[in-house]
Amino acid sequence: MKVLVTGANGYLGQGIVRKLLDDGVEVVATDFKVSHIDDRAGKIEADLFAVEDPYAFFGKPDAVIHLAWKDGFKHNSDAHLEELPKHCRFLKSLVAGGIKLVSVMGTMHEVGFFEGPISEDTPCNPENLYGIAKNALREFCLSLCRQNKVTLQWLRGFYIVGNTMYGDSIFSKITKAAMEGEKTFPFTSGKNQYDFLDYGDFCAQVAAAVEQKEVDGIINICSGQPESLSSRVERFIASNSYDIKLQYGSFPDRPYDSKAVWGDDSKIRMILEEQKRRK
């Protein structure tokens, strides 16, 4: 199996490429820069949207994991809607070339304000430009893959926990502050409950989903359990022995964030259990 991974030099891409390689998958990894990509991968520096025939250019892969996305943590960046047609054209070109599996990283922000477990049947009413653009790409991919009889996996990501200082998540920001010697960190109320998944587990779930053929459609990449933001961040600070305290109430909670939301993990559990059985 040859898998093309776009956005491979990014935070998620690096770990997903590494896990695929560990599992014996042939990986073609591409991004604007490839400096942080595992050397076992075939690395190609490229502007995805400038490639005329991406299927041929990237060596006729069997599958694509499309991670590339600009301003993912800037939820109301104009780039989300401006670049949406480019993502559509890129994936349409791969399908026209003959790719058999399209896996795209989605987000729980497609759903919008919701309380409770998110399943593949949960209605989507996104409330920021990031969620709106991702949801539009999901609907485009559903139509594209259905018409061309190509398998689609929409990998709906939730909240990722990792201790790298290079990133824009709350955990990256706390790590950066701690490394710079800050003793306090401005915070929200921390009462909202989300679905958190450690970075390594997130990458492992994505790889497991792509390496099998039985389960497709919307697949939640998640833990399946809600936990308050304050609890998870406090545990993160303690487990990394950071000498930093949260300043609760410094920032208001975002109005479009759900009070309690988590992923229905039935599909990914099925995939992981089957993977374990086969090993």
Side-chain angles (χ1 to χ4, degrees):
M1 186 181 191
K2 180 191 288 186
V3 177
L4 169 65
V5 180
T6 70
N9 203 54
Y11 177 55
L12 281 182
Q14 294 173 42
I16 290 170
V17 166
R18 189 162 50 246
K19 185 64 176 71
L20 289 168
L21 291 166
D22 289 345
D23 290 347
V25 175
E26 181 183 356
V27 177
V28 178
T30 186
D31 211 323
F32 289 110
K33 300 292 182 183
V34 296
S35 53
H36 300 303
I37 298 173
D38 193 304
D39 288 334
R40 293 174 293 168
K43 298 188 280 189
I44 300 176
E45 285 190 0
D47 176 355
L48 290 182
F49 305 140
V51 177
E52 289 190 11
D53 183 357
Y55 183 67
F57 182 81
F58 291 113
K60 298 183 178 181
D62 301 299
V64 61
I65 304 177
H66 188 51
L67 305 174
W69 196 270
K70 185 179 180 181
D71 291 350
F73 284 94
K74 299 176 182 177
H75 290 166
N76 281 307
S77 167
D78 290 338
H80 299 309
L81 296 183
E82 290 170 354
E83 300 214 338
L84 176 59
K86 300 177 183 179
H87 291 279
C88 294
R89 284 194 295 269
F90 171 72
L91 293 170
K92 187 175 181 179
S93 293
L94 285 178
V95 169
I99 204 161
K100 302 301 182 187
L101 170 62
V102 172
S103 294
V104 183
M105 182 54 62
T107 171
M108 50 81 63
H109 287 288
E110 301 153 28
V111 175
F113 192 91
F114 184 80
E115 295 188 12
I118 292 176
S119 71
E120 60 183 319
D121 299 318
T122 300
C124 292
N125 297 289
E127 297 191 14
N128 56 61
L129 295 185
Y130 177 51
I132 289 168
K134 281 286 190 177
N135 192 53
L137 182 62
R138 180 183 64 85
E139 292 182 337
F140 170 81
C141 288
L142 283 169
S143 175
L144 173 70
C145 292
R146 186 184 302 117
Q147 290 176 24
N148 291 276
K149 295 182 172 57
V150 171
T151 301
L152 173 66
Q153 294 177 339
W154 187 263
L155 308 174
R156 180 172 281 160
F158 285 71
Y159 290 89
I160 307 162
V161 181
N163 64 351
T164 176
M165 63 188 294
Y166 303 106
D168 290 308
S169 74
I170 184 67
F171 302 101
S172 293
K173 289 176 180 178
I174 288 173
T175 297
K176 187 172 186 287
M179 294 298 100
E180 292 176 349
E182 300 290 338
K183 297 301 181 183
T184 59
F185 187 87
F187 201 55
T188 64
S189 71
K191 294 179 180 178
N192 296 44
Q193 297 181 56
Y194 302 124
D195 190 312
F196 297 100
L197 194 61
D198 288 343
Y199 179 79
D201 293 332
F202 192 98
C203 296
Q205 286 193 12
V206 170
V210 175
E211 290 167 14
Q212 56 83 48
K213 298 178 181 178
E214 288 76 22
V215 182
D216 56 16
I218 297 173
I219 302 171
N220 288 329
I221 306 300
C222 66
S223 70
Q225 299 294 326
E227 182 176 1
S228 72
L229 180 59
S230 60
S231 171
R232 188 64 190 90
V233 172
E234 293 283 11
R235 286 202 297 116
F236 175 77
I237 291 171
S239 65
N240 286 281
S241 301
Y242 292 155
D243 183 19
I244 195 168
K245 300 292 184 184
L246 298 177
Q247 290 183 312
Y248 287 100
S250 297
F251 295 121
D253 296 326
R254 294 181 304 198
Y256 57 80
D257 280 337
S258 305
K259 304 304 179 186
V261 64
W262 61 97
D264 177 342
D265 68 340
S266 55
K267 273 190 167 183
I268 194 63
R269 252 190 304 112
M270 187 189 312
I271 291 169
L272 293 173
E273 287 169 4
E274 180 61 18
Q275 182 190 61
K276 184 177 180 181
R277 188 190 67 80
R278 288 179 178 176
K279 288 182 177 181

